Amino acid sequence: MAKLSKLAKIYLALVFAILYAPIFYLIFYSFNSGGTMSSFEGFTLEHYGAVFNDTRLLIILMNTVIIALLSSLFSTAIGVLGAIGIVFLRNRQTRNAVLSLNTILIVSPDVIIGASFLILFTMIGIKLGFASVLISHIAFSIPIVVIMVLPKLQEMSTSLIDAATDLGASKRDILTRVIIPYIKPGIFAGFFLALTYSLDDFAVTFFVTGNGFSTLSIEIYSMARAGITLTINALSALIFVVTLGLVLGYYFFTQRTGQSPGTRGAKL
Amino acid sequence: MKDNPSRPLYLVPYYLWIALFVITPIALIFYFSFLDLTGTFTLENYKNFFSSVYLRMTLSSFWYAFLITLITIIIAYPTAYWLTKTKHKQLWLLLIIIPSWINLLLKAYAFIGIFGLYGPANKLLHAIGAGPWQILFTDFSFIFVAVYIFIPFMVLPIFNSLDKINPALVDASRDLGASSFTTFRRVIFPLAINGVKSGVQAVFIPALSLFVITRLIAGNKVITLGTAIEQQFLVTQNWGMGSTIAVFLILFMVIIMMLTGQKEKGGSLNGKTK
């Protein structure tokens, strides 16, 4: 293997620096006692205090976490069942058709998902707010769970199931004692991914949130449109730490399942 | 498989999801694209789309998406190439990917500070004597931030396809007397073209539909298809026109997927739509 030239090293260092600069810039100024992101006056934790003293913000944070946990639980349950169903589809054409349908929400731009869900909820009379946001998050997380679980199911040898049948296991036993334990790493990876998708989502939520209900990203958007407040910086430092934890968790599970680390699609 | 492990009853929620949240929303978008503000059936929206305003907007949206994709490739390709040559390359790749997990809004917000009139970008310009500039709310800041956002999404697929190339092929080409440029052009590049195609898929379509960055960074000066849809749905409340633009965005998406699509072996198990 050829060694990296100096030029290559400088180039890579530069790319890394640019990728991380904005994030560390935000975090750096979250400790600024001055009110701006341009001159650092002194070290303070007051902006962190502001985050934790702002009841409204805390409620929004709670909303965000509740939506993320609930939506990833539901989407994991439905997605796992869907993936098992897809694997047992005997007709190849049907299977490909279902897989294509599964992928649509992954590749669709968020504006289209958001706009079409907005129409849907209005048509069937679901009030915009908690329910519509939760349902949307479940809906766009399901295909991700399916994609994460499928490879595990496909590598599972059918003889495992045959053996279980021969030993007298009921269908229910096979599902809960053979299939689910085997695909567990995939399920966890799917759950993690659904969680981060939900925490991260702005565009879809923006369309279906209505007036009274807000998640963190919606709140950050309106704050950012109003201008710079270092509360956002403190908040983003906290989010960065949580995200890092989730990435490492996800990485841990995918490494164990032997999949290469993947980005989520460009969900913007 | 001789038997299904359980009755297909457990598939009901999943199929219900497909019907309700995949098929119905697309059908509704198509249906609404034929409605005007009062809800009567019309072709007016489609006629409007081909009027000069919307056509110009579509063209400029494509132009921006094209520029963003091109610059992203130019930056990401060497990055991916050199990454494959590092020790602990999976770790470095993970480090490239981590910023893509940070909420887009926070990154955009960071750039409001960086590109602001008193931000570090202008301080740097001032230090080299180029004076303060209005960087925020320009085409430049829009393209810069968009490229910044998309770099990881381009690096990853290119890295994966470069990493799969058998090094023996490169050695063989060297042994046969090819220069490193020829080796790159005739061996490495063709073998890794699928990574570039996936990257283009992952960047071009989102670049057409960006609206967060245009709102926060480009100060409404840049209008992409995504911005227009958001505008029609949430500001003007003209769902018909918004849907029509969405129909075209879907159409462009399908075309781009077909152009950059790859033949997959043994059925599309990884589920990329055609």
Side-chain angles (χ1 to χ4, degrees), chain B residues 232-256:
Chain B
Q232 295 290 346
F233 267 92
L234 300 179
V235 183
T236 326
Q237 301 275 334
N238 187 351
W239 289 12
M241 194 60 222
S243 298
T244 310
I245 304 171
V247 167
F248 280 98
L249 183 53
I250 294 172
L251 202 67
F252 297 140
M253 187 180 103
V254 173
I255 294 171
I256 292 158

PDB file of all heavy atoms in Angstrom, chain B residues 232-256:
ATOM      1  N   GLN B 232     -45.742  27.468  -1.136  1.00  0.00           N
ATOM      2  CA  GLN B 232     -47.119  27.280  -1.596  1.00  0.00           C
ATOM      3  C   GLN B 232     -47.974  26.607  -0.531  1.00  0.00           C
ATOM      4  O   GLN B 232     -49.147  26.925  -0.367  1.00  0.00           O
ATOM      5  CB  GLN B 232     -47.151  26.422  -2.873  1.00  0.00           C
ATOM      6  CG  GLN B 232     -46.487  27.059  -4.075  1.00  0.00           C
ATOM      7  CD  GLN B 232     -47.274  28.237  -4.622  1.00  0.00           C
ATOM      8  OE1 GLN B 232     -48.427  28.450  -4.290  1.00  0.00           O
ATOM      9  NE2 GLN B 232     -46.637  29.031  -5.476  1.00  0.00           N
ATOM     10  N   PHE B 233     -47.392  25.669   0.207  1.00  0.00           N
ATOM     11  CA  PHE B 233     -48.174  24.933   1.182  1.00  0.00           C
ATOM     12  C   PHE B 233     -48.408  25.724   2.463  1.00  0.00           C
ATOM     13  O   PHE B 233     -49.503  25.770   2.989  1.00  0.00           O
ATOM     14  CB  PHE B 233     -47.500  23.596   1.520  1.00  0.00           C
ATOM     15  CG  PHE B 233     -48.003  22.467   0.673  1.00  0.00           C
ATOM     16  CD1 PHE B 233     -47.356  22.131  -0.511  1.00  0.00           C
ATOM     17  CD2 PHE B 233     -49.129  21.743   1.046  1.00  0.00           C
ATOM     18  CE1 PHE B 233     -47.827  21.103  -1.293  1.00  0.00           C
ATOM     19  CE2 PHE B 233     -49.602  20.715   0.268  1.00  0.00           C
ATOM     20  CZ  PHE B 233     -48.953  20.389  -0.908  1.00  0.00           C
ATOM     21  N   LEU B 234     -47.351  26.338   2.984  1.00  0.00           N
ATOM     22  CA  LEU B 234     -47.450  26.905   4.324  1.00  0.00           C
ATOM     23  C   LEU B 234     -47.628  28.412   4.348  1.00  0.00           C
ATOM     24  O   LEU B 234     -48.112  28.956   5.323  1.00  0.00           O
ATOM     25  CB  LEU B 234     -46.220  26.508   5.149  1.00  0.00           C
ATOM     26  CG  LEU B 234     -46.041  24.999   5.332  1.00  0.00           C
ATOM     27  CD1 LEU B 234     -44.779  24.704   6.129  1.00  0.00           C
ATOM     28  CD2 LEU B 234     -47.250  24.370   6.006  1.00  0.00           C
ATOM     29  N   VAL B 235     -47.240  29.102   3.285  1.00  0.00           N
ATOM     30  CA  VAL B 235     -47.382  30.558   3.302  1.00  0.00           C
ATOM     31  C   VAL B 235     -48.569  30.994   2.455  1.00  0.00           C
ATOM     32  O   VAL B 235     -49.539  31.548   2.935  1.00  0.00           O
ATOM     33  CB  VAL B 235     -46.086  31.259   2.831  1.00  0.00           C
ATOM     34  CG1 VAL B 235     -46.241  32.765   2.935  1.00  0.00           C
ATOM     35  CG2 VAL B 235     -44.890  30.783   3.650  1.00  0.00           C
ATOM     36  N   THR B 236     -48.525  30.667   1.151  1.00  0.00           N
ATOM     37  CA  THR B 236     -49.600  31.072   0.248  1.00  0.00           C
ATOM     38  C   THR B 236     -50.856  30.236   0.447  1.00  0.00           C
ATOM     39  O   THR B 236     -51.948  30.644   0.067  1.00  0.00           O
ATOM     40  CB  THR B 236     -49.133  30.932  -1.222  1.00  0.00           C
ATOM     41  OG1 THR B 236     -47.752  31.231  -1.299  1.00  0.00           O
ATOM     42  CG2 THR B 236     -49.895  31.858  -2.132  1.00  0.00           C
ATOM     43  N   GLN B 237     -50.689  29.056   1.031  1.00  0.00           N
ATOM     44  CA  GLN B 237     -51.801  28.118   1.225  1.00  0.00           C
ATOM     45  C   GLN B 237     -52.427  27.674  -0.088  1.00  0.00           C
ATOM     46  O   GLN B 237     -53.599  27.344  -0.142  1.00  0.00           O
ATOM     47  CB  GLN B 237     -52.891  28.741   2.123  1.00  0.00           C
ATOM     48  CG  GLN B 237     -52.408  29.137   3.493  1.00  0.00           C
ATOM     49  CD  GLN B 237     -52.439  27.991   4.491  1.00  0.00           C
ATOM     50  OE1 GLN B 237     -53.224  27.065   4.353  1.00  0.00           O
ATOM     51  NE2 GLN B 237     -51.552  27.999   5.470  1.00  0.00           N
ATOM     52  N   ASN B 238     -51.646  27.682  -1.145  1.00  0.00           N
ATOM     53  CA  ASN B 238     -52.154  27.203  -2.430  1.00  0.00           C
ATOM     54  C   ASN B 238     -51.674  25.765  -2.620  1.00  0.00           C
ATOM     55  O   ASN B 238     -50.674  25.503  -3.275  1.00  0.00           O
ATOM     56  CB  ASN B 238     -51.632  28.117  -3.549  1.00  0.00           C
ATOM     57  CG  ASN B 238     -52.253  27.778  -4.895  1.00  0.00           C
ATOM     58  OD1 ASN B 238     -52.943  26.760  -5.031  1.00  0.00           O
ATOM     59  ND2 ASN B 238     -52.009  28.621  -5.885  1.00  0.00           N
ATOM     60  N   TRP B 239     -52.412  24.827  -2.030  1.00  0.00           N
ATOM     61  CA  TRP B 239     -51.974  23.437  -2.035  1.00  0.00           C
ATOM     62  C   TRP B 239     -51.946  22.845  -3.443  1.00  0.00           C
ATOM     63  O   TRP B 239     -51.140  21.987  -3.742  1.00  0.00           O
ATOM     64  CB  TRP B 239     -52.901  22.575  -1.164  1.00  0.00           C
ATOM     65  CG  TRP B 239     -52.731  22.850   0.290  1.00  0.00           C
ATOM     66  CD1 TRP B 239     -52.052  23.901   0.842  1.00  0.00           C
ATOM     67  CD2 TRP B 239     -53.236  22.079   1.374  1.00  0.00           C
ATOM     68  NE1 TRP B 239     -52.099  23.821   2.210  1.00  0.00           N
ATOM     69  CE2 TRP B 239     -52.824  22.709   2.576  1.00  0.00           C
ATOM     70  CE3 TRP B 239     -53.991  20.912   1.465  1.00  0.00           C
ATOM     71  CZ2 TRP B 239     -53.160  22.218   3.828  1.00  0.00           C
ATOM     72  CZ3 TRP B 239     -54.315  20.417   2.716  1.00  0.00           C
ATOM     73  CH2 TRP B 239     -53.909  21.056   3.886  1.00  0.00           C
ATOM     74  N   GLY B 240     -52.824  23.348  -4.303  1.00  0.00           N
ATOM     75  CA  GLY B 240     -52.874  22.840  -5.676  1.00  0.00           C
ATOM     76  C   GLY B 240     -51.564  23.102  -6.395  1.00  0.00           C
ATOM     77  O   GLY B 240     -50.926  22.187  -6.920  1.00  0.00           O
ATOM     78  N   MET B 241     -51.142  24.385  -6.369  1.00  0.00           N
ATOM     79  CA  MET B 241     -49.903  24.742  -7.055  1.00  0.00           C
ATOM     80  C   MET B 241     -48.722  24.032  -6.402  1.00  0.00           C
ATOM     81  O   MET B 241     -47.828  23.522  -7.079  1.00  0.00           O
ATOM     82  CB  MET B 241     -49.709  26.266  -7.000  1.00  0.00           C
ATOM     83  CG  MET B 241     -48.637  26.782  -7.954  1.00  0.00           C
ATOM     84  SD  MET B 241     -49.032  26.399  -9.679  1.00  0.00           S
ATOM     85  CE  MET B 241     -47.447  25.905 -10.293  1.00  0.00           C
ATOM     86  N   GLY B 242     -48.719  23.982  -5.064  1.00  0.00           N
ATOM     87  CA  GLY B 242     -47.654  23.285  -4.352  1.00  0.00           C
ATOM     88  C   GLY B 242     -47.568  21.839  -4.798  1.00  0.00           C
ATOM     89  O   GLY B 242     -46.481  21.302  -5.036  1.00  0.00           O
ATOM     90  N   SER B 243     -48.728  21.197  -4.942  1.00  0.00           N
ATOM     91  CA  SER B 243     -48.748  19.799  -5.363  1.00  0.00           C
ATOM     92  C   SER B 243     -48.212  19.635  -6.779  1.00  0.00           C
ATOM     93  O   SER B 243     -47.516  18.674  -7.080  1.00  0.00           O
ATOM     94  CB  SER B 243     -50.168  19.242  -5.286  1.00  0.00           C
ATOM     95  OG  SER B 243     -50.631  19.284  -3.965  1.00  0.00           O
ATOM     96  N   THR B 244     -48.565  20.598  -7.641  1.00  0.00           N
ATOM     97  CA  THR B 244     -48.077  20.510  -9.016  1.00  0.00           C
ATOM     98  C   THR B 244     -46.554  20.561  -9.043  1.00  0.00           C
ATOM     99  O   THR B 244     -45.905  19.769  -9.740  1.00  0.00           O
ATOM    100  CB  THR B 244     -48.647  21.659  -9.871  1.00  0.00           C
ATOM    101  OG1 THR B 244     -50.049  21.697  -9.672  1.00  0.00           O
ATOM    102  CG2 THR B 244     -48.333  21.445 -11.328  1.00  0.00           C
ATOM    103  N   ILE B 245     -45.975  21.478  -8.266  1.00  0.00           N
ATOM    104  CA  ILE B 245     -44.509  21.551  -8.216  1.00  0.00           C
ATOM    105  C   ILE B 245     -43.967  20.248  -7.647  1.00  0.00           C
ATOM    106  O   ILE B 245     -42.963  19.703  -8.131  1.00  0.00           O
ATOM    107  CB  ILE B 245     -44.042  22.756  -7.363  1.00  0.00           C
ATOM    108  CG1 ILE B 245     -44.654  24.055  -7.894  1.00  0.00           C
ATOM    109  CG2 ILE B 245     -42.521  22.877  -7.366  1.00  0.00           C
ATOM    110  CD1 ILE B 245     -44.421  25.254  -6.997  1.00  0.00           C
ATOM    111  N   ALA B 246     -44.659  19.707  -6.637  1.00  0.00           N
ATOM    112  CA  ALA B 246     -44.227  18.440  -6.043  1.00  0.00           C
ATOM    113  C   ALA B 246     -44.258  17.314  -7.072  1.00  0.00           C
ATOM    114  O   ALA B 246     -43.360  16.466  -7.109  1.00  0.00           O
ATOM    115  CB  ALA B 246     -45.105  18.091  -4.845  1.00  0.00           C
ATOM    116  N   VAL B 247     -45.298  17.307  -7.923  1.00  0.00           N
ATOM    117  CA  VAL B 247     -45.386  16.283  -8.973  1.00  0.00           C
ATOM    118  C   VAL B 247     -44.150  16.348  -9.859  1.00  0.00           C
ATOM    119  O   VAL B 247     -43.532  15.327 -10.183  1.00  0.00           O
ATOM    120  CB  VAL B 247     -46.665  16.459  -9.825  1.00  0.00           C
ATOM    121  CG1 VAL B 247     -46.594  15.616 -11.092  1.00  0.00           C
ATOM    122  CG2 VAL B 247     -47.889  16.081  -9.012  1.00  0.00           C
ATOM    123  N   PHE B 248     -43.752  17.567 -10.228  1.00  0.00           N
ATOM    124  CA  PHE B 248     -42.570  17.697 -11.083  1.00  0.00           C
ATOM    125  C   PHE B 248     -41.305  17.290 -10.339  1.00  0.00           C
ATOM    126  O   PHE B 248     -40.417  16.671 -10.920  1.00  0.00           O
ATOM    127  CB  PHE B 248     -42.456  19.126 -11.633  1.00  0.00           C
ATOM    128  CG  PHE B 248     -43.364  19.354 -12.802  1.00  0.00           C
ATOM    129  CD1 PHE B 248     -44.594  19.975 -12.635  1.00  0.00           C
ATOM    130  CD2 PHE B 248     -43.015  18.886 -14.066  1.00  0.00           C
ATOM    131  CE1 PHE B 248     -45.447  20.152 -13.708  1.00  0.00           C
ATOM    132  CE2 PHE B 248     -43.869  19.064 -15.146  1.00  0.00           C
ATOM    133  CZ  PHE B 248     -45.089  19.702 -14.963  1.00  0.00           C
ATOM    134  N   LEU B 249     -41.240  17.632  -9.057  1.00  0.00           N
ATOM    135  CA  LEU B 249     -40.071  17.221  -8.267  1.00  0.00           C
ATOM    136  C   LEU B 249     -39.971  15.699  -8.224  1.00  0.00           C
ATOM    137  O   LEU B 249     -38.889  15.115  -8.396  1.00  0.00           O
ATOM    138  CB  LEU B 249     -40.162  17.811  -6.847  1.00  0.00           C
ATOM    139  CG  LEU B 249     -38.977  17.544  -5.919  1.00  0.00           C
ATOM    140  CD1 LEU B 249     -37.660  17.955  -6.542  1.00  0.00           C
ATOM    141  CD2 LEU B 249     -39.161  18.269  -4.598  1.00  0.00           C
ATOM    142  N   ILE B 250     -41.120  15.030  -8.044  1.00  0.00           N
ATOM    143  CA  ILE B 250     -41.132  13.562  -8.043  1.00  0.00           C
ATOM    144  C   ILE B 250     -40.659  13.043  -9.397  1.00  0.00           C
ATOM    145  O   ILE B 250     -39.847  12.119  -9.497  1.00  0.00           O
ATOM    146  CB  ILE B 250     -42.552  13.020  -7.726  1.00  0.00           C
ATOM    147  CG1 ILE B 250     -42.942  13.373  -6.288  1.00  0.00           C
ATOM    148  CG2 ILE B 250     -42.611  11.512  -7.933  1.00  0.00           C
ATOM    149  CD1 ILE B 250     -44.373  13.054  -5.927  1.00  0.00           C
ATOM    150  N   LEU B 251     -41.171  13.693 -10.456  1.00  0.00           N
ATOM    151  CA  LEU B 251     -40.795  13.295 -11.816  1.00  0.00           C
ATOM    152  C   LEU B 251     -39.284  13.422 -12.026  1.00  0.00           C
ATOM    153  O   LEU B 251     -38.628  12.506 -12.511  1.00  0.00           O
ATOM    154  CB  LEU B 251     -41.538  14.210 -12.800  1.00  0.00           C
ATOM    155  CG  LEU B 251     -41.722  13.698 -14.211  1.00  0.00           C
ATOM    156  CD1 LEU B 251     -42.663  12.510 -14.203  1.00  0.00           C
ATOM    157  CD2 LEU B 251     -42.292  14.803 -15.109  1.00  0.00           C
ATOM    158  N   PHE B 252     -38.725  14.572 -11.618  1.00  0.00           N
ATOM    159  CA  PHE B 252     -37.282  14.777 -11.760  1.00  0.00           C
ATOM    160  C   PHE B 252     -36.522  13.731 -10.953  1.00  0.00           C
ATOM    161  O   PHE B 252     -35.482  13.209 -11.382  1.00  0.00           O
ATOM    162  CB  PHE B 252     -36.875  16.176 -11.281  1.00  0.00           C
ATOM    163  CG  PHE B 252     -37.483  17.283 -12.100  1.00  0.00           C
ATOM    164  CD1 PHE B 252     -37.954  18.446 -11.497  1.00  0.00           C
ATOM    165  CD2 PHE B 252     -37.595  17.159 -13.481  1.00  0.00           C
ATOM    166  CE1 PHE B 252     -38.521  19.459 -12.242  1.00  0.00           C
ATOM    167  CE2 PHE B 252     -38.163  18.169 -14.232  1.00  0.00           C
ATOM    168  CZ  PHE B 252     -38.625  19.318 -13.614  1.00  0.00           C
ATOM    169  N   MET B 253     -37.063  13.423  -9.775  1.00  0.00           N
ATOM    170  CA  MET B 253     -36.421  12.448  -8.919  1.00  0.00           C
ATOM    171  C   MET B 253     -36.346  11.092  -9.614  1.00  0.00           C
ATOM    172  O   MET B 253     -35.292  10.453  -9.651  1.00  0.00           O
ATOM    173  CB  MET B 253     -37.232  12.339  -7.626  1.00  0.00           C
ATOM    174  CG  MET B 253     -36.627  11.489  -6.567  1.00  0.00           C
ATOM    175  SD  MET B 253     -37.705  11.483  -5.129  1.00  0.00           S
ATOM    176  CE  MET B 253     -38.463   9.901  -5.297  1.00  0.00           C
ATOM    177  N   VAL B 254     -37.472  10.682 -10.203  1.00  0.00           N
ATOM    178  CA  VAL B 254     -37.512   9.391 -10.898  1.00  0.00           C
ATOM    179  C   VAL B 254     -36.505   9.385 -12.045  1.00  0.00           C
ATOM    180  O   VAL B 254     -35.753   8.420 -12.237  1.00  0.00           O
ATOM    181  CB  VAL B 254     -38.941   9.100 -11.407  1.00  0.00           C
ATOM    182  CG1 VAL B 254     -38.955   7.852 -12.275  1.00  0.00           C
ATOM    183  CG2 VAL B 254     -39.885   8.939 -10.233  1.00  0.00           C
ATOM    184  N   ILE B 255     -36.461  10.496 -12.804  1.00  0.00           N
ATOM    185  CA  ILE B 255     -35.532  10.568 -13.936  1.00  0.00           C
ATOM    186  C   ILE B 255     -34.085  10.442 -13.461  1.00  0.00           C
ATOM    187  O   ILE B 255     -33.286   9.686 -14.021  1.00  0.00           O
ATOM    188  CB  ILE B 255     -35.730  11.894 -14.719  1.00  0.00           C
ATOM    189  CG1 ILE B 255     -37.104  11.906 -15.383  1.00  0.00           C
ATOM    190  CG2 ILE B 255     -34.629  12.070 -15.771  1.00  0.00           C
ATOM    191  CD1 ILE B 255     -37.490  13.236 -15.985  1.00  0.00           C
ATOM    192  N   ILE B 256     -33.760  11.181 -12.381  1.00  0.00           N
ATOM    193  CA  ILE B 256     -32.392  11.132 -11.869  1.00  0.00           C
ATOM    194  C   ILE B 256     -32.043   9.741 -11.363  1.00  0.00           C
ATOM    195  O   ILE B 256     -30.949   9.225 -11.598  1.00  0.00           O
ATOM    196  CB  ILE B 256     -32.207  12.181 -10.740  1.00  0.00           C
ATOM    197  CG1 ILE B 256     -32.295  13.583 -11.335  1.00  0.00           C
ATOM    198  CG2 ILE B 256     -30.861  11.999 -10.047  1.00  0.00           C
ATOM    199  CD1 ILE B 256     -32.645  14.644 -10.341  1.00  0.00           C
TER     200      ILE B 256
END
